[in-house]
Coordinates of all heavy atoms in Angstrom, one line a residue:
M25 N 62.0 44.1 40.3 CA 63.4 43.8 40.2 C 63.6 42.3 40.6 O 63.2 41.9 41.6 CB 64.1 44.7 41.2 CG 65.6 44.9 41.0 SD 66.0 45.3 39.3 CE 67.5 44.4 39.1
S26 N 64.3 41.6 39.7 CA 64.6 40.2 40.0 C 65.8 40.1 41.0 O 66.5 41.0 41.2 CB 64.8 39.4 38.8 OG 65.7 40.2 37.9
S27 N 65.9 38.9 41.5 CA 66.9 38.7 42.5 C 68.3 38.7 41.9 O 68.5 38.3 40.7 CB 66.7 37.3 43.1 OG 67.9 36.6 43.3
P28 N 69.3 39.2 42.6 CA 70.7 39.3 42.1 C 71.2 37.9 41.6 O 72.1 37.8 40.8 CB 71.5 39.8 43.3 CG 70.5 40.5 44.2 CD 69.2 39.8 44.0
A29 N 70.6 36.8 42.2 CA 71.1 35.5 41.8 C 70.9 35.2 40.4 O 71.6 34.4 39.8 CB 70.4 34.5 42.7
T30 N 69.9 35.9 39.7 CA 69.7 35.6 38.3 C 70.8 36.1 37.5 O 70.9 35.8 36.3 CB 68.4 36.3 37.9 OG1 68.5 37.7 38.1 CG2 67.2 35.7 38.6
L31 N 71.6 37.0 38.0 CA 72.8 37.5 37.3 C 74.0 36.6 37.3 O 74.9 36.7 36.6 CB 73.2 38.9 37.9 CG 72.1 39.9 37.8 CD1 72.6 41.2 38.6 CD2 71.8 40.3 36.4
R32 N 73.9 35.6 38.2 CA 75.1 34.7 38.4 C 75.6 34.1 37.1 O 76.8 34.1 36.9 CB 74.7 33.6 39.4 CG 76.0 33.0 40.0 CD 75.7 32.1 41.1 NE 75.2 32.8 42.3 CZ 74.2 32.3 43.1 NH1 73.6 31.2 42.8 NH2 73.8 33.0 44.1
P33 N 74.7 33.5 36.2 CA 75.3 32.9 35.0 C 76.1 33.9 34.2 O 77.0 33.5 33.4 CB 74.0 32.5 34.2 CG 72.9 32.4 35.2 CD 73.3 33.4 36.3
L34 N 75.8 35.2 34.2 CA 76.5 36.2 33.5 C 78.0 36.3 34.0 O 78.9 36.7 33.2 CB 75.9 37.6 33.7 CG 74.6 37.8 32.9 CD1 74.0 39.2 33.3 CD2 74.8 37.7 31.4
L35 N 78.2 36.0 35.2 CA 79.5 36.1 35.8 C 80.4 34.9 35.6 O 81.6 34.9 36.0 CB 79.4 36.5 37.3 CG 78.7 37.8 37.5 CD1 78.5 38.1 39.0 CD2 79.4 39.0 36.9
E36 N 79.9 33.9 35.0 CA 80.7 32.7 34.7 C 81.8 33.1 33.7 O 81.6 33.7 32.7 CB 79.8 31.6 34.1 CG 79.6 30.5 35.0 CD 78.4 29.6 34.6 OE1 78.4 29.2 33.4 OE2 77.5 29.4 35.4
G37 N 83.0 32.6 34.0 CA 84.1 32.9 33.1 C 84.7 34.2 33.3 O 85.6 34.6 32.5
V38 N 84.2 35.0 34.2 CA 84.8 36.3 34.5 C 85.9 36.2 35.5 O 85.7 35.6 36.6 CB 83.7 37.3 35.0 CG1 84.3 38.7 35.3 CG2 82.6 37.5 33.9
H39 N 87.0 36.8 35.3 CA 88.1 36.8 36.3 C 88.9 38.0 36.2 O 88.9 38.7 35.1 CB 88.9 35.5 36.3 CG 89.4 35.2 34.9 ND1 88.7 34.6 33.9 CD2 90.6 35.5 34.3 CE1 89.4 34.5 32.8 NE2 90.6 35.0 33.0
R40 N 89.6 38.3 37.2 CA 90.5 39.5 37.2 C 91.9 39.0 37.2 O 92.3 38.2 38.0 CB 90.2 40.2 38.5 CG 90.4 41.7 38.4 CD 89.4 42.5 39.2 NE 89.7 42.3 40.7 CZ 89.8 43.3 41.5 NH1 89.7 44.6 41.1 NH2 90.1 43.1 42.8
V41 N 92.7 39.6 36.3 CA 94.1 39.2 36.2 C 95.0 40.4 36.4 O 94.7 41.5 36.0 CB 94.4 38.6 34.8 CG1 93.7 37.2 34.7 CG2 94.0 39.5 33.7
P42 N 96.1 40.2 37.1 CA 97.1 41.3 37.2 C 97.9 41.4 36.0 O 98.3 40.4 35.3 CB 98.0 40.8 38.4 CG 97.9 39.3 38.4 CD 96.6 38.9 37.8
E43 N 98.1 42.7 35.6 CA 98.9 42.9 34.4 C 99.9 44.0 34.7 O 99.6 45.0 35.4 CB 98.0 43.4 33.2 CG 97.4 42.3 32.5 CD 96.4 42.8 31.4 OE1 96.3 44.0 31.2 OE2 95.8 41.9 30.7
I44 N 101.1 43.8 34.2 CA 102.2 44.8 34.4 C 102.1 45.8 33.2 O 102.2 45.4 32.1 CB 103.6 44.2 34.5 CG1 103.6 43.1 35.6 CG2 104.6 45.2 34.7 CD1 103.5 43.6 37.0
T45 N 101.8 47.0 33.6 CA 101.8 48.1 32.5 C 102.9 49.1 32.8 O 103.6 49.0 33.8 CB 100.4 48.8 32.5 OG1 100.3 49.6 33.7 CG2 99.3 47.8 32.5
S46 N 103.0 50.1 32.0 CA 104.0 51.2 32.3 C 103.7 51.9 33.5 O 104.5 52.6 34.1 CB 104.0 52.1 31.1 OG 102.8 52.5 30.7
D47 N 102.4 51.8 34.0 CA 102.0 52.5 35.2 C 102.2 51.6 36.5 O 101.7 52.0 37.5 CB 100.6 53.0 35.2 CG 100.4 54.0 34.1 OD1 101.3 54.8 33.8 OD2 99.3 54.1 33.5
G48 N 102.7 50.4 36.3 CA 102.8 49.5 37.4 C 101.8 48.4 37.2 O 101.3 48.1 36.1
L49 N 101.5 47.7 38.3 CA 100.6 46.6 38.3 C 99.1 47.1 38.2 O 98.7 48.0 39.0 CB 100.7 45.7 39.5 CG 99.9 44.5 39.5 CD1 100.8 43.2 39.4 CD2 99.0 44.4 40.8
Q50 N 98.4 46.5 37.3 CA 97.0 46.9 37.2 C 96.1 45.6 37.1 O 96.5 44.6 36.5 CB 96.8 47.7 35.9 CG 96.4 49.1 36.2 CD 96.3 49.9 34.9 OE1 96.4 49.4 33.8 NE2 96.2 51.2 35.0
W51 N 94.9 45.7 37.8 CA 94.0 44.5 37.7 C 93.1 44.7 36.5 O 92.4 45.8 36.4 CB 93.3 44.4 39.0 CG 94.1 43.8 40.1 CD1 94.9 44.6 41.0 CD2 94.4 42.5 40.4 NE1 95.6 43.8 41.8 CE2 95.3 42.4 41.5 CE3 94.0 41.3 39.8 CZ2 95.8 41.3 42.0 CZ3 94.5 40.1 40.4 CH2 95.4 40.1 41.5
T52 N 93.0 43.8 35.7 CA 92.1 43.9 34.5 C 91.0 42.8 34.6 O 91.3 41.7 34.9 CB 92.9 43.6 33.2 OG1 94.0 44.5 33.2 CG2 92.1 43.9 32.0
V53 N 89.8 43.2 34.3 CA 88.7 42.2 34.3 C 88.7 41.6 33.0 O 88.6 42.2 32.0 CB 87.4 42.9 34.7 CG1 86.2 41.9 34.6 CG2 87.4 43.5 36.0
R54 N 88.8 40.3 33.0 CA 88.7 39.5 31.7 C 87.3 38.9 31.7 O 86.8 38.2 32.6 CB 89.7 38.4 31.7 CG 91.1 38.8 31.6 CD 91.4 39.0 30.1 NE 92.7 39.6 29.9 CZ 93.9 39.0 30.0 NH1 93.9 37.8 30.3 NH2 95.0 39.7 29.8
T55 N 86.6 39.2 30.6 CA 85.2 38.8 30.4 C 85.1 38.1 29.0 O 85.7 38.5 28.1 CB 84.3 40.0 30.3 OG1 84.6 40.8 31.5 CG2 82.9 39.7 30.4
P56 N 84.3 37.0 29.0 CA 84.0 36.4 27.7 C 83.4 37.4 26.8 O 82.5 38.1 27.3 CB 83.1 35.2 28.1 CG 83.2 35.0 29.5 CD 83.7 36.3 30.1
Q57 N 83.8 37.5 25.6 CA 83.4 38.6 24.7 C 81.9 38.7 24.6 O 81.3 39.9 24.7 CB 83.9 38.3 23.3 CG 83.8 39.5 22.3 CD 84.6 40.7 22.8 OE1 85.8 40.5 23.3 NE2 84.1 41.8 22.8
H58 N 81.1 37.6 24.6 CA 79.7 37.7 24.4 C 79.0 38.4 25.6 O 77.9 38.9 25.5 CB 79.1 36.4 24.1 CG 79.1 35.4 25.3 ND1 80.2 34.7 25.6 CD2 78.3 35.2 26.3 CE1 80.0 34.0 26.7 NE2 78.8 34.3 27.2
A59 N 79.6 38.4 26.8 CA 79.0 38.8 28.0 C 79.5 40.2 28.5 O 79.1 40.7 29.5 CB 79.1 37.8 29.1
R60 N 80.4 40.8 27.7 CA 81.2 41.9 28.2 C 80.2 43.0 28.7 O 80.4 43.5 29.8 CB 82.1 42.5 27.1 CG 83.0 43.6 27.6 CD 83.9 44.0 26.5 NE 84.8 42.8 26.2 CZ 86.0 42.7 26.7 NH1 86.4 43.6 27.6 NH2 86.8 41.7 26.4
L61 N 79.3 43.4 27.9 CA 78.4 44.5 28.3 C 77.6 44.2 29.5 O 77.6 45.0 30.5 CB 77.5 44.9 27.1 CG 76.6 46.1 27.4 CD1 77.5 47.4 27.5 CD2 75.6 46.3 26.3
A62 N 77.0 43.0 29.6 CA 76.3 42.6 30.7 C 77.1 42.6 32.0 O 76.7 43.1 33.0 CB 75.6 41.3 30.5
V63 N 78.3 42.1 31.9 CA 79.2 42.0 33.0 C 79.6 43.4 33.5 O 79.6 43.6 34.7 CB 80.5 41.1 32.7 CG1 81.5 41.3 33.7 CG2 80.1 39.7 32.5
E64 N 79.9 44.2 32.6 CA 80.2 45.6 33.0 C 79.1 46.3 33.7 O 79.3 47.0 34.7 CB 80.6 46.4 31.8 CG 82.1 46.2 31.4 CD 82.5 46.8 30.1 OE1 81.7 47.6 29.5 OE2 83.5 46.5 29.6
M65 N 77.9 46.0 33.3 CA 76.7 46.5 34.0 C 76.6 46.0 35.4 O 76.3 46.7 36.3 CB 75.4 46.3 33.2 CG 75.5 47.1 31.9 SD 73.9 47.2 31.1 CE 72.9 47.8 32.4
V66 N 76.8 44.7 35.5 CA 76.6 44.0 36.8 C 77.7 44.6 37.7 O 77.4 45.0 38.9 CB 76.8 42.5 36.7 CG1 76.9 41.9 38.1 CG2 75.6 41.9 35.9
L67 N 78.9 44.7 37.3 CA 80.0 45.3 38.1 C 79.7 46.7 38.5 O 80.0 47.1 39.6 CB 81.3 45.1 37.4 CG 81.8 43.7 37.1 CD1 83.1 43.7 36.4 CD2 81.9 42.9 38.4
A68 N 79.3 47.5 37.5 CA 79.0 48.9 37.8 C 77.8 49.0 38.9 O 77.9 49.8 39.8 CB 78.6 49.6 36.6
W69 N 76.9 48.1 38.7 CA 75.7 48.1 39.6 C 76.2 47.8 41.0 O 75.9 48.4 42.0 CB 74.7 47.1 39.2 CG 73.5 47.0 40.1 CD1 73.5 46.4 41.3 CD2 72.2 47.5 39.8 NE1 72.2 46.6 41.8 CE2 71.4 47.2 40.9 CE3 71.7 48.1 38.7 CZ2 70.1 47.5 40.9 CZ3 70.3 48.4 38.7 CH2 69.5 48.2 39.8
A70 N 77.0 46.7 41.1 CA 77.5 46.3 42.4 C 78.4 47.4 43.1 O 78.3 47.6 44.3 CB 78.4 45.0 42.3
A71 N 79.2 48.0 42.3 CA 80.1 49.1 42.8 C 79.2 50.2 43.4 O 79.5 50.8 44.4 CB 81.0 49.6 41.8
T72 N 78.1 50.6 42.6 CA 77.2 51.6 43.1 C 76.5 51.2 44.3 O 76.4 52.0 45.3 CB 76.2 52.0 42.0 OG1 76.9 52.3 40.8 CG2 75.4 53.2 42.3
E73 N 76.0 50.0 44.4 CA 75.3 49.5 45.6 C 76.2 49.6 46.8 O 75.8 49.8 47.9 CB 74.8 48.1 45.3 CG 73.4 48.0 44.9 CD 72.4 48.6 45.8 OE1 72.5 48.4 47.1 OE2 71.5 49.4 45.4
Q74 N 77.5 49.3 46.6 CA 78.4 49.3 47.7 C 78.7 50.7 48.2 O 78.8 51.0 49.3 CB 79.7 48.7 47.2 CG 80.5 47.9 48.3 CD 81.5 47.0 47.7 OE1 82.2 47.3 46.7 NE2 81.5 45.8 48.3
R75 N 78.8 51.6 47.2 CA 79.1 53.0 47.5 C 77.9 53.7 48.1 O 78.0 54.6 49.0 CB 79.7 53.7 46.3 CG 80.8 54.7 46.5 CD 81.4 55.2 45.3 NE 80.4 55.7 44.4 CZ 80.2 55.3 43.1 NH1 81.0 54.4 42.6 NH2 79.3 55.9 42.3
M76 N 76.8 53.5 47.5 CA 75.5 54.2 47.9 C 74.4 53.2 48.1 O 73.5 53.1 47.2 CB 75.1 55.2 46.8 CG 76.3 56.2 46.5 SD 75.8 57.3 45.1 CE 74.7 58.4 45.9
P77 N 74.4 52.4 49.2 CA 73.5 51.3 49.3 C 72.0 51.8 49.3 O 71.7 52.8 49.9 CB 73.8 50.7 50.7 CG 75.1 51.3 51.1 CD 75.3 52.6 50.3
G78 N 71.2 51.1 48.5 CA 69.8 51.4 48.4 C 69.4 52.7 47.6 O 68.3 53.1 47.6
R79 N 70.4 53.2 47.0 CA 70.2 54.5 46.2 C 69.9 54.3 44.8 O 69.5 55.2 44.1 CB 71.4 55.4 46.4 CG 71.6 55.9 47.8 CD 70.5 56.8 48.2 NE 70.7 57.3 49.5 CZ 70.3 58.6 49.8 NH1 69.8 59.4 48.9 NH2 70.4 59.0 51.1
L80 N 70.1 53.1 44.3 CA 69.9 52.8 42.9 C 68.6 52.1 42.8 O 68.4 51.0 43.4 CB 71.1 52.0 42.4 CG 71.2 51.8 40.9 CD1 71.4 53.1 40.2 CD2 72.4 50.8 40.6
R81 N 67.7 52.6 42.0 CA 66.4 51.9 41.9 C 65.7 52.3 40.6 O 66.1 53.2 39.9 CB 65.5 52.4 43.1 CG 65.0 53.8 43.1 CD 64.2 54.1 44.3 NE 65.0 54.3 45.4 CZ 65.3 55.4 46.0 NH1 64.8 56.5 45.5 NH2 66.1 55.5 47.0
P82 N 64.8 51.4 40.2 CA 64.1 51.6 38.9 C 63.2 52.9 39.0 O 62.7 53.2 40.1 CB 63.3 50.4 38.7 CG 63.4 49.5 39.9 CD 64.3 50.1 40.9
C83 N 63.0 53.5 37.9 CA 62.1 54.7 37.9 C 60.7 54.2 38.2 O 60.3 53.1 37.9 CB 62.1 55.3 36.5 SG 61.0 56.6 36.2
A84 N 59.9 55.1 38.9 CA 58.6 54.7 39.4 C 57.6 54.7 38.3 O 56.5 54.2 38.4 CB 58.1 55.6 40.5
N85 N 57.9 55.2 37.1 CA 57.1 55.1 36.0 C 57.1 53.7 35.3 O 58.2 53.3 34.9 CB 57.5 56.2 34.9 CG 56.7 56.1 33.7 OD1 55.8 55.3 33.5 ND2 57.0 57.0 32.7
D86 N 56.0 53.0 35.3 CA 56.0 51.6 34.9 C 56.4 51.5 33.4 O 56.9 50.5 33.0 CB 54.6 51.0 35.0 CG 54.3 50.7 36.5 OD1 55.3 50.6 37.3 OD2 53.1 50.6 36.8
E87 N 56.2 52.5 32.6 CA 56.5 52.5 31.2 C 58.0 52.8 31.0 O 58.4 52.8 29.8 CB 55.6 53.4 30.4 CG 54.2 52.8 30.3 CD 53.2 53.9 30.1 OE1 53.5 54.9 29.5 OE2 52.0 53.7 30.5
C88 N 58.7 53.2 32.0 CA 60.1 53.7 31.8 C 61.0 52.6 32.2 O 60.8 51.9 33.2 CB 60.3 54.9 32.7 SG 61.9 55.6 32.6
R89 N 62.0 52.4 31.5 CA 63.0 51.3 31.7 C 64.3 51.8 32.4 O 65.2 51.1 32.5 CB 63.3 50.6 30.5 CG 62.2 49.8 29.9 CD 62.1 48.4 30.6 NE 60.8 47.8 30.3 CZ 59.8 47.9 31.2 NH1 59.8 48.6 32.2 NH2 58.6 47.2 30.9
L90 N 64.3 53.1 32.8 CA 65.5 53.7 33.3 C 65.6 53.5 34.8 O 64.6 53.2 35.5 CB 65.6 55.2 32.9 CG 65.6 55.5 31.5 CD1 65.6 57.0 31.2 CD2 66.8 54.8 30.8
F91 N 66.8 53.7 35.3 CA 67.1 53.7 36.7 C 67.5 55.0 37.2 O 67.9 55.9 36.4 CB 68.1 52.6 37.0 CG 67.7 51.2 36.9 CD1 67.6 50.6 35.7 CD2 67.3 50.5 38.0 CE1 67.1 49.3 35.5 CE2 66.8 49.2 37.9 CZ 66.7 48.6 36.6
L92 N 67.4 55.3 38.5 CA 67.8 56.5 39.0 C 68.8 56.3 40.1 O 68.7 55.2 40.8 CB 66.7 57.4 39.4 CG 65.8 56.8 40.6 CD1 66.0 57.7 41.8 CD2 64.4 56.7 40.1
L93 N 69.7 57.2 40.3 CA 70.6 57.2 41.4 C 70.2 58.3 42.4 O 70.4 59.5 42.0 CB 72.0 57.3 40.9 CG 73.1 57.1 42.0 CD1 73.0 55.7 42.6 CD2 74.5 57.3 41.3
D94 N 69.7 58.0 43.5 CA 69.1 59.0 44.4 C 70.2 59.6 45.3 O 70.8 58.9 46.1 CB 68.1 58.4 45.3 CG 67.3 59.5 46.0 OD1 67.7 60.6 46.1 OD2 66.2 59.2 46.6
R95 N 70.6 60.9 45.0 CA 71.6 61.5 45.8 C 71.0 62.5 46.8 O 71.7 63.2 47.5 CB 72.5 62.4 44.9 CG 73.3 61.5 43.9 CD 74.0 62.5 42.9 NE 74.5 61.7 41.8 CZ 75.7 61.1 41.8 NH1 76.4 61.1 42.9 NH2 76.2 60.4 40.8
S96 N 69.7 62.5 46.9 CA 69.0 63.4 47.9 C 69.2 62.9 49.3 O 69.3 61.7 49.5 CB 67.5 63.5 47.5 OG 66.9 62.4 47.9
R97 N 69.1 63.8 50.2 CA 69.2 63.5 51.6 C 68.1 62.6 52.1 O 68.2 61.6 52.8 CB 69.3 64.7 52.5 CG 69.7 64.5 53.9 CD 69.6 65.8 54.6 NE 70.7 66.7 54.2 CZ 71.6 67.2 55.0 NH1 71.6 67.0 56.3 NH2 72.5 68.0 54.5
A98 N 66.9 62.9 51.6 CA 65.7 62.2 52.1 C 65.6 60.8 51.4 O 64.9 59.9 51.9 CB 64.4 63.0 51.7
N99 N 66.3 60.6 50.4 CA 66.3 59.3 49.7 C 64.9 58.9 49.2 O 64.4 57.8 49.4 CB 66.9 58.2 50.6 CG 67.2 56.9 49.7 OD1 67.3 56.9 48.5 ND2 67.4 55.8 50.4
R100 N 64.1 59.9 48.7 CA 62.8 59.6 48.3 C 62.5 59.8 46.8 O 61.4 59.9 46.3 CB 61.8 60.4 49.1 CG 61.5 59.8 50.5 CD 60.2 60.2 51.0 NE 60.2 61.7 51.2 CZ 60.2 62.3 52.4 NH1 60.2 61.6 53.5 NH2 60.2 63.6 52.5
A101 N 63.6 60.0 46.0 CA 63.4 60.3 44.6 C 62.8 59.1 43.9 O 63.0 57.9 44.3 CB 64.8 60.5 44.0
R102 N 61.9 59.3 43.0 CA 61.1 58.2 42.4 C 61.3 58.2 40.9 O 61.0 57.2 40.2 CB 59.6 58.4 42.7 CG 59.3 58.3 44.1 CD 57.9 58.6 44.4 NE 57.0 57.6 43.7 CZ 55.8 57.9 43.4 NH1 55.2 59.0 43.6 NH2 55.1 57.0 42.7
W103 N 61.8 59.3 40.3 CA 61.8 59.4 38.8 C 63.2 59.5 38.3 O 64.1 60.1 38.9 CB 61.0 60.6 38.4 CG 59.8 60.9 39.1 CD1 59.5 61.8 40.1 CD2 58.6 60.1 39.1 NE1 58.3 61.7 40.6 CE2 57.7 60.6 40.0 CE3 58.2 59.0 38.3 CZ2 56.4 60.1 40.1 CZ3 57.0 58.5 38.5 CH2 56.1 59.0 39.4
C104 N 63.4 58.9 37.1 CA 64.7 59.0 36.5 C 65.0 60.4 36.2 O 66.1 60.9 36.3 CB 64.8 58.1 35.2 SG 63.6 58.7 34.0
S105 N 63.9 61.1 35.8 CA 64.0 62.5 35.5 C 62.7 63.2 35.9 O 61.6 62.8 35.5 CB 64.3 62.7 34.0 OG 63.8 64.0 33.6
M106 N 62.9 64.3 36.7 CA 61.7 65.0 37.1 C 61.0 65.7 35.9 O 59.8 65.8 35.8 CB 62.1 66.1 38.1 CG 61.0 66.7 38.9 SD 60.1 65.4 39.9 CE 58.4 66.0 39.7
A107 N 61.9 66.1 34.9 CA 61.4 66.8 33.7 C 60.6 65.8 32.8 O 59.6 66.2 32.2 CB 62.5 67.4 33.0
V108 N 60.9 64.6 32.8 CA 60.3 63.6 31.9 C 59.2 62.8 32.7 O 58.0 63.1 32.6 CB 61.3 62.7 31.2 CG1 60.5 61.7 30.3 CG2 62.3 63.5 30.5
C109 N 59.6 61.8 33.5 CA 58.7 61.0 34.2 C 57.9 61.7 35.3 O 56.8 61.4 35.5 CB 59.4 59.7 34.7 SG 59.9 58.6 33.3
G110 N 58.6 62.5 36.0 CA 58.0 63.2 37.1 C 56.8 64.1 36.6 O 55.7 64.1 37.1
N111 N 57.1 64.8 35.5 CA 56.1 65.6 34.9 C 54.9 64.8 34.4 O 53.8 65.2 34.5 CB 56.7 66.5 33.8 CG 56.9 67.9 34.2 OD1 56.2 68.3 35.1 ND2 57.7 68.6 33.5
R112 N 55.2 63.7 33.7 CA 54.2 62.9 33.2 C 53.2 62.4 34.3 O 52.0 62.4 34.1 CB 54.8 61.7 32.5 CG 53.9 60.9 31.6 CD 54.7 59.9 30.8 NE 55.7 60.5 29.9 CZ 56.7 59.9 29.4 NH1 56.9 58.6 29.7 NH2 57.6 60.5 28.6
E113 N 53.8 62.0 35.4 CA 53.0 61.6 36.5 C 52.1 62.7 37.1 O 50.9 62.6 37.4 CB 53.9 61.0 37.6 CG 53.2 60.6 38.9 CD 52.4 59.4 38.8 OE1 52.4 58.7 37.7 OE2 51.6 59.1 39.7
K114 N 52.7 63.9 37.2 CA 51.9 65.1 37.6 C 50.8 65.4 36.7 O 49.7 65.6 37.1 CB 52.9 66.3 37.7 CG 53.1 66.8 39.1 CD 53.7 68.2 39.2 CE 55.0 68.2 38.5 NZ 55.7 69.5 38.6
A115 N 51.0 65.3 35.4 CA 50.0 65.5 34.4 C 48.9 64.5 34.5 O 47.7 64.8 34.4 CB 50.6 65.5 33.0
R116 N 49.3 63.2 34.7 CA 48.3 62.2 34.8 C 47.4 62.4 36.0 O 46.2 62.2 36.0 CB 49.0 60.8 35.0 CG 48.2 59.6 34.7 CD 48.9 58.3 34.9 NE 49.5 58.2 36.3 CZ 48.7 57.7 37.3 NH1 47.5 57.5 37.2 NH2 49.3 57.6 38.5
R117 N 48.0 62.7 37.2 CA 47.2 63.0 38.4 C 46.3 64.1 38.2 O 45.1 64.1 38.6 CB 48.1 63.2 39.6 CG 48.2 61.9 40.4 CD 49.0 62.1 41.6 NE 50.4 62.3 41.2 CZ 51.4 62.7 42.0 NH1 51.1 63.0 43.3 NH2 52.6 62.9 41.6
H118 N 46.8 65.2 37.5 CA 46.0 66.4 37.3 C 44.8 66.0 36.4 O 43.6 66.4 36.6 CB 46.8 67.4 36.6 CG 46.0 68.7 36.2 ND1 45.7 69.6 37.2 CD2 45.5 69.1 35.1 CE1 45.0 70.5 36.6 NE2 44.9 70.3 35.3
Y119 N 45.0 65.2 35.4 CA 44.0 64.7 34.5 C 42.9 63.9 35.2 O 41.7 64.1 35.0 CB 44.6 63.8 33.4 CG 43.7 63.2 32.5 CD1 43.0 63.9 31.5 CD2 43.4 61.8 32.6 CE1 42.1 63.3 30.6 CE2 42.5 61.2 31.7 CZ 41.9 61.9 30.7 OH 41.0 61.3 29.9
E120 N 43.4 63.0 36.2 CA 42.4 62.2 36.9 C 41.6 63.1 37.9 O 40.4 62.8 38.1 CB 43.1 61.2 37.7 CG 43.5 60.0 36.8 CD 44.4 58.9 37.5 OE1 44.6 59.1 38.7 OE2 44.8 58.0 36.8
R121 N 42.2 64.1 38.4 CA 41.5 65.0 39.3 C 40.4 65.8 38.6 O 39.4 66.1 39.2 CB 42.5 66.0 40.0 CG 42.8 65.6 41.4 CD 43.4 66.7 42.2 NE 44.3 67.6 41.4 CZ 45.6 67.4 41.3 NH1 46.2 66.4 42.0 NH2 46.4 68.2 40.6
T122 N 40.7 66.2 37.4 CA 39.8 67.2 36.7 C 38.8 66.5 35.8 O 38.1 67.1 35.1 CB 40.7 68.2 35.9 OG1 41.5 67.4 35.0 CG2 41.5 69.0 36.7
R123 N 38.8 65.2 35.7 CA 37.9 64.5 34.9 C 36.5 64.5 35.4 O 36.3 64.3 36.6 CB 38.4 63.0 34.7 CG 38.0 62.5 33.4 CD 38.8 61.2 33.1 NE 39.3 60.6 34.3 CZ 39.8 59.3 34.3 NH1 39.8 58.6 33.2 NH2 40.3 58.8 35.4
Ligands
ZN4 ZN1 61.6 57.4 34.1

């Protein structure tokens, strides 16, 4: 995982503006069009980190590009999905044991 500082260029030109809507005042994030998706991901990541610190991490399967959000009490989840990556790891270990 690279340092959060590498995300900084993505946040250039992003600002939050107050808008009056029929529901009252609302804060809207204004993002340069080309960076919208990346910025949304950064903001979602930051919000998750704030709400559940240390719970968001990459899947332990090196070939997997997914992340997992660990909601367990022990905070030891390693796989994005036990059914997919967890099982693959179990099968791999089994294969190595029985070789
Ligand atoms: Zn995975």
Side-chain angles (χ1 to χ4, degrees):
M25 196 53 215
S26 46
S27 138
T30 60
L31 299 172
R32 196 171 294 140
L34 287 175
L35 297 177
E36 250 163 51
V38 177
H39 52 278
R40 209 147 71 128
V41 293
E43 276 178 2
I44 303 295
T45 70
S46 51
D47 296 329
L49 185 113
Q50 249 177 6
W51 288 91
T52 306
V53 176
R54 288 275 170 79
T55 309
Q57 194 61 44
H58 68 275
R60 185 173 296 267
L61 185 65
V63 167
E64 275 169 15
M65 292 194 50
V66 173
L67 294 179
W69 181 288
T72 305
E73 265 299 315
Q74 211 161 42
R75 219 172 51 235
M76 304 173 76
R79 293 291 179 146
L80 192 61
R81 66 182 77 103
C83 178
N85 176 3
D86 287 338
E87 287 155 28
C88 180
R89 290 278 164 266
L90 297 177
F91 286 80
L92 62 114
L93 187 60
D94 192 344
R95 297 173 190 278
S96 72
R97 191 183 290 239
N99 195 15
R100 280 203 299 251
R102 299 174 60 203
W103 319 108
C104 62
S105 153
M106 199 56 220
V108 181
C109 290
N111 254 338
R112 194 170 299 161
E113 174 72 7
K114 244 194 301 186
R116 193 182 62 80
R117 260 181 294 170
H118 179 76
Y119 173 76
E120 279 172 6
R121 260 201 318 270
T122 55
R123 211 166 17 168

